[in-house]
Short mmCIF file of all heavy atoms in Angstrom, two decimals:
data_model
loop_
_atom_site.label_atom_id
_atom_site.label_comp_id
_atom_site.label_asym_id
_atom_site.label_seq_id
_atom_site.Cartn_x
_atom_site.Cartn_y
_atom_site.Cartn_z
N THR A 277 0.46 -23.85 -35.37
CA THR A 277 -0.02 -23.00 -34.23
C THR A 277 0.27 -23.56 -32.84
O THR A 277 0.60 -22.90 -31.89
CB THR A 277 -1.55 -22.72 -34.34
OG1 THR A 277 -1.85 -22.49 -35.73
CG2 THR A 277 -1.86 -21.51 -33.64
N VAL A 278 0.19 -24.91 -32.81
CA VAL A 278 0.48 -25.57 -31.45
C VAL A 278 1.82 -25.35 -31.09
O VAL A 278 2.12 -25.08 -29.83
CB VAL A 278 0.09 -27.12 -31.56
CG1 VAL A 278 0.84 -27.82 -30.44
CG2 VAL A 278 -1.47 -27.41 -31.57
N LEU A 279 2.75 -25.30 -32.07
CA LEU A 279 4.21 -24.94 -31.65
C LEU A 279 4.38 -23.36 -31.48
O LEU A 279 5.11 -22.94 -30.66
CB LEU A 279 5.12 -25.45 -32.63
CG LEU A 279 6.53 -25.54 -32.33
CD1 LEU A 279 6.80 -26.42 -31.14
CD2 LEU A 279 7.52 -25.89 -33.50
N ALA A 280 3.61 -22.68 -32.39
CA ALA A 280 3.86 -21.23 -32.46
C ALA A 280 3.41 -20.53 -31.14
O ALA A 280 3.96 -19.61 -30.62
CB ALA A 280 3.14 -20.51 -33.58
N VAL A 281 2.38 -21.06 -30.44
CA VAL A 281 1.76 -20.41 -29.24
C VAL A 281 2.77 -20.58 -28.20
O VAL A 281 3.22 -19.45 -27.55
CB VAL A 281 0.48 -21.10 -28.90
CG1 VAL A 281 0.10 -20.63 -27.43
CG2 VAL A 281 -0.61 -20.59 -29.74
N PRO A 282 3.35 -21.61 -27.75
CA PRO A 282 4.35 -21.58 -26.67
C PRO A 282 5.65 -20.83 -27.09
O PRO A 282 6.14 -20.06 -26.21
CB PRO A 282 4.65 -23.10 -26.32
CG PRO A 282 4.07 -23.81 -27.51
CD PRO A 282 3.04 -23.08 -28.09
N VAL A 283 6.15 -21.11 -28.26
CA VAL A 283 7.34 -20.43 -28.65
C VAL A 283 7.18 -18.73 -28.64
O VAL A 283 7.81 -18.01 -28.03
CB VAL A 283 7.87 -20.77 -30.13
CG1 VAL A 283 8.90 -20.01 -30.45
CG2 VAL A 283 8.27 -22.20 -29.88
N GLY A 284 5.87 -18.33 -29.24
CA GLY A 284 5.62 -16.93 -29.23
C GLY A 284 5.42 -16.39 -27.87
O GLY A 284 5.76 -15.34 -27.56
N PHE A 285 4.92 -17.24 -27.03
CA PHE A 285 4.66 -16.72 -25.67
C PHE A 285 5.98 -16.56 -24.91
O PHE A 285 6.17 -15.50 -24.38
CB PHE A 285 3.84 -17.85 -24.85
CG PHE A 285 3.65 -17.45 -23.39
CD1 PHE A 285 2.57 -16.73 -23.01
CD2 PHE A 285 4.57 -17.83 -22.43
CE1 PHE A 285 2.41 -16.22 -21.88
CE2 PHE A 285 4.42 -17.39 -21.17
CZ PHE A 285 3.30 -16.60 -20.84
N VAL A 286 6.97 -17.47 -25.06
CA VAL A 286 8.18 -17.29 -24.50
C VAL A 286 8.87 -16.02 -24.93
O VAL A 286 9.54 -15.17 -24.21
CB VAL A 286 9.06 -18.61 -24.54
CG1 VAL A 286 10.53 -18.26 -24.25
CG2 VAL A 286 8.51 -19.70 -23.79
N LEU A 287 8.88 -15.91 -26.31
CA LEU A 287 9.53 -14.76 -26.89
C LEU A 287 8.89 -13.44 -26.42
O LEU A 287 9.62 -12.46 -26.23
CB LEU A 287 9.44 -14.86 -28.44
CG LEU A 287 10.22 -16.02 -29.10
CD1 LEU A 287 10.04 -16.01 -30.59
CD2 LEU A 287 11.74 -15.80 -28.77
N GLY A 288 7.57 -13.43 -26.32
CA GLY A 288 6.84 -12.20 -25.87
C GLY A 288 7.11 -11.92 -24.42
O GLY A 288 7.15 -10.66 -24.04
N TRP A 289 7.19 -12.92 -23.66
CA TRP A 289 7.27 -12.72 -22.15
C TRP A 289 8.72 -12.35 -21.79
O TRP A 289 8.85 -11.67 -20.74
CB TRP A 289 6.69 -13.92 -21.45
CG TRP A 289 6.34 -13.68 -20.13
CD1 TRP A 289 6.94 -14.12 -18.89
CD2 TRP A 289 5.26 -12.84 -19.68
NE1 TRP A 289 6.33 -13.64 -17.82
CE2 TRP A 289 5.31 -12.83 -18.21
CE3 TRP A 289 4.27 -12.17 -20.35
CZ2 TRP A 289 4.30 -12.12 -17.50
CZ3 TRP A 289 3.27 -11.39 -19.60
CH2 TRP A 289 3.38 -11.38 -18.23
N TYR A 290 9.77 -12.98 -22.42
CA TYR A 290 11.03 -12.74 -21.95
C TYR A 290 11.78 -11.89 -22.94
O TYR A 290 12.28 -12.53 -23.99
CB TYR A 290 11.78 -14.13 -21.70
CG TYR A 290 11.09 -14.91 -20.59
CD1 TYR A 290 10.28 -16.02 -21.12
CD2 TYR A 290 11.15 -14.58 -19.38
CE1 TYR A 290 9.69 -16.77 -20.09
CE2 TYR A 290 10.60 -15.34 -18.39
CZ TYR A 290 9.80 -16.36 -18.81
OH TYR A 290 9.16 -17.19 -17.82
N PRO A 291 11.90 -10.66 -22.88
CA PRO A 291 12.56 -9.71 -23.82
C PRO A 291 13.98 -10.13 -24.08
O PRO A 291 14.39 -9.98 -25.22
CB PRO A 291 12.52 -8.35 -23.15
CG PRO A 291 11.42 -8.42 -22.05
CD PRO A 291 11.37 -9.89 -21.67
N ASN A 292 14.66 -10.69 -23.11
CA ASN A 292 16.00 -11.04 -23.32
C ASN A 292 16.08 -12.14 -24.34
O ASN A 292 16.99 -12.16 -25.19
CB ASN A 292 16.64 -11.45 -22.08
CG ASN A 292 16.69 -10.40 -21.14
OD1 ASN A 292 16.75 -9.28 -21.46
ND2 ASN A 292 16.64 -10.56 -19.74
N VAL A 293 15.19 -13.14 -24.27
CA VAL A 293 15.25 -14.21 -25.18
C VAL A 293 14.85 -13.77 -26.62
O VAL A 293 15.54 -13.97 -27.56
CB VAL A 293 14.26 -15.31 -24.71
CG1 VAL A 293 14.22 -16.50 -25.80
CG2 VAL A 293 14.53 -15.71 -23.38
N ARG A 294 13.88 -12.78 -26.61
CA ARG A 294 13.49 -12.30 -27.93
C ARG A 294 14.59 -11.48 -28.57
O ARG A 294 14.76 -11.74 -29.82
CB ARG A 294 12.37 -11.24 -27.67
CG ARG A 294 11.91 -10.71 -28.94
CD ARG A 294 10.58 -9.98 -28.77
NE ARG A 294 10.55 -8.73 -27.96
CZ ARG A 294 9.93 -8.68 -26.80
NH1 ARG A 294 9.19 -9.71 -26.40
NH2 ARG A 294 10.03 -7.52 -26.15
N HIS A 295 15.51 -10.87 -27.73
CA HIS A 295 16.47 -10.09 -28.30
C HIS A 295 17.41 -10.99 -29.20
O HIS A 295 17.93 -10.63 -30.31
CB HIS A 295 17.28 -9.59 -27.15
CG HIS A 295 18.26 -8.50 -27.56
ND1 HIS A 295 17.83 -7.20 -27.88
CD2 HIS A 295 19.55 -8.47 -27.69
CE1 HIS A 295 18.99 -6.61 -28.24
NE2 HIS A 295 20.04 -7.15 -28.12
N PHE A 296 17.62 -12.25 -28.76
CA PHE A 296 18.53 -13.09 -29.54
C PHE A 296 17.82 -13.90 -30.59
O PHE A 296 18.47 -14.34 -31.66
CB PHE A 296 19.34 -14.02 -28.47
CG PHE A 296 20.27 -13.39 -27.59
CD1 PHE A 296 19.90 -13.08 -26.24
CD2 PHE A 296 21.34 -12.59 -28.16
CE1 PHE A 296 20.67 -12.35 -25.46
CE2 PHE A 296 22.22 -11.89 -27.25
CZ PHE A 296 21.79 -11.78 -25.98
N ILE A 297 16.53 -14.20 -30.35
CA ILE A 297 15.88 -15.27 -31.19
C ILE A 297 15.26 -14.38 -32.38
O ILE A 297 15.03 -15.02 -33.48
CB ILE A 297 14.85 -15.96 -30.54
CG1 ILE A 297 15.51 -16.71 -29.26
CG2 ILE A 297 14.20 -17.07 -31.41
CD1 ILE A 297 16.43 -17.89 -29.71
N ASP A 298 14.89 -13.24 -32.13
CA ASP A 298 14.12 -12.44 -33.06
C ASP A 298 14.73 -12.38 -34.46
O ASP A 298 14.14 -12.62 -35.50
CB ASP A 298 13.89 -10.97 -32.64
CG ASP A 298 12.72 -10.27 -33.39
OD1 ASP A 298 11.76 -11.02 -33.71
OD2 ASP A 298 12.84 -9.13 -33.69
#
Side-chain angles (χ1 to χ4, degrees):
Chain A
T277 319
V278 161
L279 192 68
V281 164
V283 171
F285 180 83
V286 169
L287 292 179
W289 199 250
Y290 302 101
N292 296 334
V293 183
R294 177 163 71 245
H295 195 73
F296 295 107
I297 305 291
D298 200 35

